[in-house]
Amino acid sequence: MGDKKQLFQDMSDAVVAMDEERVVALARTVIESKVDVYEAIENGLSHGMERAGQLFEEEEYFVPELLVCSDAMYAGLDLLRPHLTQCEGGSKHKVVIGVIEGDTHDIGKNLVKIMLETGGFELHDLGRDVPAARFVQKAGEIDADIIAISTLMTTTMDGMAEVVKLLEKENLRDRVKVIVGGGPISQGFAARIGADGYAAHAGAAVNVARGLMNGDRAHAR
Amino acid sequence: METPTPKERLLGVLNKEQELVDRPPVICVGGMMNAAVVEIMERTGRRLPEGHGDVDLMVQIALDVYEQTGFENFGLPFCMTVEAEVAGSDISLGSLSCEPKIEKEAYPSVSDVEFRDVEDMLRSGRIPVVLGAIEKLSRSHPHVPVTGTLTGPISLAASLVDPVTFYKELHLKRERSHEVLDYVSNLLAAFAERMVEHGASCIAIGDPSATGEILGPHAFKEYAVRYINRIADRVRIAGVPVILHICGNIGSVKHLLPELRVDAISTDVVVSLVRLKEEFPGLVTMGNVSTYLLEFGDPDRVARTTTRLVDEGIDIIAPACGLSTSTSLALIRAMTDAAKETRPRG
């Protein structure tokens, strides 16, 4: 159906264009014309957000643009979500995310959260300035698949290693993957503290997370 | 050449009077680059966070840092929450090992920011403490430069308005964003002028929320360059030079560096300062010993890195970013000692 395809493309374009009003109008069209809501989210809203993430990686978009795109996407999502049937929502991989204690910068974390949500993960956001133990406790509580930790400050990198150690102590290490990122973090650092993955950009976090989940089918739900 | 005093050396570099300079100074400017590490304060018993709000204790801690680290300046204040506090945000002074931080931004949106009277703000909070400490140190140690350090305008605005909202509003509410930045820049410039009146030898600006990676070239030019210049112009009229620290990778905004009317540029460790100097001849550079190396490295590697920077002709040797409060004195000394070893400069 050409119309439907065009509608999804328009939604995707409106997200990339940061045009929240247009996204909302198109989402209403989806509902009124009884187009498949799940498809509209996947091929319209998420598609647009992934393109925005791509532009971010290519340094055409920066943080302000990406945040405004995500607002447009969420405005559409808020309208469409109530129309999803239960099974379409599906069970998703769960991610506990937060900024490690000592750091109150949460821009990077928020971007990763947006991109992971867009990528189909269920996010549990602990906010900023989070003690290592809180990550582990929350992960145990909700049976998380991934802990994603961010920092912008070199002064707080120890806390990331602490999360890995605590997971080991609690015998959760083989059930929960740990991904780290943020300004001062490198692949080398991630490996040194025993993290499973490192993402240089918010966009890359989705691929890293998906890769880890595919390599861990036993725990996939 | 007679050996210059630390103040003559730093000002010689910043004012491009090379004939006064025998070697690069090694400094740590204060603010986000606070050098009051835990090891010093545990040795002396004079501690933060108490020192953030007490003139005499602030002076003492600055002296302890000066004597024990070998940095050739007094860098004040020890945090980047002084300005946000007087402009209304909730802050926490932290602990011995955890630096002060914004607990809660004062306003949900740029539209809600109330413009307080600048003179009132300069009389409130810890501003008189910082000014008092600058005055005492500049009088008791006239040969040591006091670097008065400001929170940059974008970082201050993002400490008053929730940063996520603030970054979006740079796009969505441009006019109002400019009004807010105009307001915070007036406060910062006036604070800097007071610092100079009280004896600061130069002003450093650290604006970690205004990186090229976050803002991109367009917003960096429209907001960061414009308001940093506005502050820098007033500081230079007040008669002292300005150092600007830019966090992160400056790749996307490098072409804008010549538009910044500051006297020296400091960068993070990811940036090659020697290449930056090749690209912009005449640029005075500061940096950029890895703070990760300073925390987790060994004295030899720290010394080698420092020596390399000196040999490359980097003008001022400094940590590349904020020091971890758990950085050891031995590694800081490895850096300052290596920088001070006199070598013939080629």
Side-chain angles (χ1 to χ4, degrees), chain A residues 18 56 59 62-65 67-68 71 102 104-107 110 128-129 152-155 157-158 189 192, chain B residues 98 101-103 105 163-164 167-168 171-172 212-217 252 291-292 295-296 322-325:
Chain A
M18 300 176 255
F56 180 70
E59 296 202 336
F62 291 88
V63 170
E65 290 84 358
L67 288 171
V68 179
D71 268 9
T104 58
H105 302 83
D106 58 1
I107 290 298
N110 289 327
R128 57 195 192 186
D129 202 16
L152 204 77
M153 296 161 75
T154 44
T155 51
M157 287 158 64
D158 281 358
F189 175 80
R192 207 151 46 240
Chain B
C98 199
K101 59 197 170 196
I102 306 296
E103 203 73 70
E105 294 82 8
V164 169
Y167 285 125
K168 285 191 283 206
H171 233 282
L172 300 172
E213 290 164 308
I214 293 176
L215 295 179
S252 69
T291 46
Y292 186 77
E295 185 171 13
F296 299 108
L323 284 174
S324 164
T325 55

Side-chain angles (χ1 to χ4, degrees), chain B residues 33-263:
Chain B
M33 294 189 173
N34 162 44
V37 296
V38 170
E39 191 179 338
I40 297 174
M41 296 187 281
E42 279 184 340
R43 264 188 206 185
T44 62
R46 293 183 281 270
R47 292 159 169 257
L48 296 174
E50 293 78 14
H52 289 300
D54 178 308
V55 176
D56 292 318
L57 198 49
M58 188 177 273
V59 166
Q60 268 306 323
I61 293 171
L63 282 167
D64 295 337
V65 169
Y66 175 73
E67 282 159 13
Q68 300 198 27
T69 60
F71 285 126
E72 300 172 296
N73 70 313
F74 299 119
L76 293 177
F78 301 126
C79 71
M80 48 188 308
T81 56
V82 173
E83 304 95 331
E85 185 180 19
V86 300
S89 286
D90 290 343
I91 61 131
S92 138
L93 285 180
S95 61
L96 181 69
S97 61
C98 199
E99 293 175 326
K101 59 197 170 196
I102 306 296
E103 203 73 70
K104 183 161 179 22
E105 294 82 8
Y107 307 102
S109 154
V110 287
S111 309
D112 304 315
V113 176
E114 288 165 33
F115 296 158
R116 299 183 174 185
D117 181 74
V118 169
E119 287 303 316
D120 286 348
M121 287 190 284
L122 292 177
R123 279 191 293 269
S124 61
R126 287 171 290 143
I127 285 188
V129 175
V130 176
L131 295 177
I134 289 176
E135 179 158 26
K136 285 195 171 182
L137 287 164
S138 63
R139 286 200 179 157
S140 63
H141 292 71
H143 300 306
V144 180
V146 181
T147 50
T149 303
L150 300 175
T151 304
I154 303 286
S155 301
L156 178 53
S159 302
L160 299 186
V161 177
D162 173 80
V164 169
T165 309
F166 174 71
Y167 285 125
K168 285 191 283 206
E169 290 179 341
L170 287 180
H171 233 282
L172 300 172
K173 297 182 181 171
R174 288 171 58 175
E175 201 176 321
R176 184 61 184 171
S177 295
H178 276 292
E179 287 168 11
V180 169
L181 281 162
D182 184 66
Y183 162 69
V184 300
S185 300
N186 277 334
L187 167 61
L188 291 168
F191 185 22
E193 286 164 352
R194 284 309 150 81
M195 287 175 165
V196 176
E197 282 166 25
H198 285 77
S201 312
C202 70
I203 297 295
I205 303 173
D207 208 348
S209 300
T211 72
E213 290 164 308
I214 293 176
L215 295 179
H218 188 76
F220 190 83
K221 183 180 162 86
E222 178 175 349
Y223 296 107
V225 173
R226 178 165 173 182
Y227 292 98
I228 286 166
N229 277 343
R230 182 167 307 176
I231 296 162
D233 288 347
R234 277 176 60 181
V235 173
R236 290 166 76 169
I237 289 169
V240 305
V242 181
I243 301 169
L244 173 67
H245 175 74
I246 306 176
C247 285
N249 194 336
I250 62 167
S252 69
V253 297
K254 198 164 62 177
H255 62 287
L256 296 168
L257 293 185
E259 293 185 29
L260 286 161
R261 296 191 289 274
V262 298
D263 300 280

